[in-house]
């Protein structure tokens, strides 16, 4: 069966690794992001790795007018359409404290922008009786923490949205995988103090690929973050609010 993957935020390190992974299966890939020069180079790489074809597409999740061309490019193909969302932004919480207007961008990039894209393409996935959505959230969305609670709130909203979308698409044979990475070696995390157990983007891509094949609902990656976050969620609020984690 022909598969087409739309990769949103395709120039991020995790997205690049995942685009290469699905290209090796012979799927077509539509690489969507802001930097068209980088996307064109990645498209060439994906075709060399075996993609049926690889197209670069301009995407700005803050501009809904960029959605239509990407969706039009995908629906002209026969077979299953899949979408992987790697979009997000995480300014320092201290910067947001100084300028609360930054909240708008964080919420759009990390939640409402990709959610609007998925909401727009969902009827097409339902019409084709299938399709997979991969939504990359974050362990930061599991509990509000002093160091990144705005970003965490946006990702928590995205997690809830993905849960509802999974409930919807299941009825037509589709599926949604919610991915909650811990610390990953990407541009978003460079320079952040207190980083530990940092994963490689390629390892995250492998975990996502396996989760898609097994139709997992929610994964933490690397796997041990499930237990780390279980502990963090279990800390009583009177104690937690005194901690700096």
């Amino acid at each position: 069966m022909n598969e087409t993957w739309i990769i949103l935020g395709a120039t991020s390190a995790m997205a690049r690794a995942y685009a290469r992974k699905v290209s090796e299966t012979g799927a077509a890939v539509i690489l969507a992001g802001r930097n068209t020069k980088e996307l064109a180079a990645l498209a060439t790489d994906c075709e060399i790795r075996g993609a049926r074809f690889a197209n670069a597409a301009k995407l700005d999740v803050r501009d809904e007018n960029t959605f239509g061309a990407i969706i039009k490019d995908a629906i002209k193909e026969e077979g299953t359409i899949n979408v992987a969302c790697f979009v997000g932004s995480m300014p320092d919480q201290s910067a947001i404290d100084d300028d609360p207007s930054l909240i708008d961008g964080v919420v759009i990039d990390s939640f409402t922008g990709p959610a609007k894209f998925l909401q727009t393409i969902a009827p097409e996935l339902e019409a084709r009786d299938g399709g997979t959505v991969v939504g990359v959230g974050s362990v930061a969305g599991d509990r509000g923490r002093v160091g990144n609670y705005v970003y965490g709130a946006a990702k928590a909203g995205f997690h809830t949205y993905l849960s509802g979308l999974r409930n919807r698409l299941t009825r037509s044979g589709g599926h949604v995988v919610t991915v909650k990475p811990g610390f990953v070696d990407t541009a978003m995390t460079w320079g952040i103090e207190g980083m530990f157990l940092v994963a490689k983007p390629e390892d995250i891509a492998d975990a996502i690929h396996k989760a898609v094949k097994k139709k997992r609902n929610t994964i933490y990656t690397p796997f041990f973050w499930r237990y780390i976050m279980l502990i963090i969620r279990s800390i009583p609020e009177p104690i937690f609010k005194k901690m700096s984690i």
Side-chain angles (χ1 to χ4, degrees):
M1 178 184 293
N2 288 343
E3 283 193 308
T4 299
W5 276 93
I6 303 172
I7 312 288
L8 305 183
T11 57
S12 74
M14 283 189 290
R16 287 173 184 269
Y18 191 66
R20 291 169 180 141
K21 176 68 66 174
V22 298
S23 293
E24 291 169 357
T25 69
V29 291
I30 299 172
L31 307 165
R34 293 177 179 173
N35 191 322
T36 53
K37 184 176 180 180
E38 288 188 20
L39 291 171
L42 179 60
T44 299
D45 185 17
C46 288
E47 289 184 337
I48 291 171
R49 292 172 183 269
R52 190 169 79 252
F53 69 80
N55 291 345
K58 182 72 173 179
L59 169 72
D60 183 347
V61 293
R62 301 186 188 188
D63 181 3
E64 296 173 48
N65 293 322
T66 64
F67 296 177
I70 298 167
I71 294 172
K72 183 178 180 181
D73 194 17
I75 65 177
K76 70 183 182 183
E77 297 296 317
E78 295 182 356
T80 304
I81 297 174
N82 308 309
V83 186
C85 298
F86 291 88
V87 183
S89 64
M90 187 178 67
D92 288 342
Q93 183 62 50
S94 60
I96 297 173
D97 294 342
D98 291 338
D99 182 5
S101 68
L102 294 175
I103 291 175
D104 294 341
V106 176
V107 173
I108 294 172
D109 293 343
S110 305
F111 171 24
T112 58
K116 286 180 180 179
F117 185 95
L118 293 173
Q119 200 73 10
T120 303
I121 201 171
E124 185 65 30
L125 303 185
E126 291 174 315
R128 298 187 182 215
D129 299 326
T132 297
V133 170
V134 173
V136 178
S138 172
V139 296
D142 276 15
R143 191 167 191 179
R145 289 174 286 157
V146 68
N148 63 354
Y149 58 89
V150 169
Y151 174 73
K155 285 303 188 182
F158 193 43
H159 296 165
T160 302
Y161 172 80
L162 292 169
S163 178
L165 185 64
R166 176 164 47 247
N167 197 289
R168 172 184 173 179
L169 293 184
T170 295
R171 288 160 168 73
S172 58
H175 187 59
V176 177
V177 180
T178 302
V179 181
K180 298 184 179 182
F183 298 134
V184 186
D185 186 14
T186 68
M188 184 180 289
T189 59
W190 292 343
I192 297 178
E193 295 182 0
M195 297 275 287
F196 63 98
L197 301 174
V198 180
K200 296 179 180 179
E202 292 78 13
D203 294 337
I204 305 300
D206 287 343
I208 294 173
H209 189 61
K210 292 175 183 177
V212 168
K213 290 197 294 185
K214 294 181 179 180
K215 290 197 171 184
R216 298 282 300 278
N217 295 316
T218 300
I219 65 165
Y220 289 79
T221 181
F223 73 92
F224 49 74
W225 278 97
R226 177 179 296 276
Y227 307 106
I228 292 173
M229 295 314 299
L230 176 62
I231 293 169
I232 290 176
R233 291 195 307 271
S234 300
I235 299 171
E237 195 70 14
I239 297 172
F240 185 76
K241 67 185 181 182
K242 297 177 182 179
M243 301 175 69
S244 298
I245 60 173

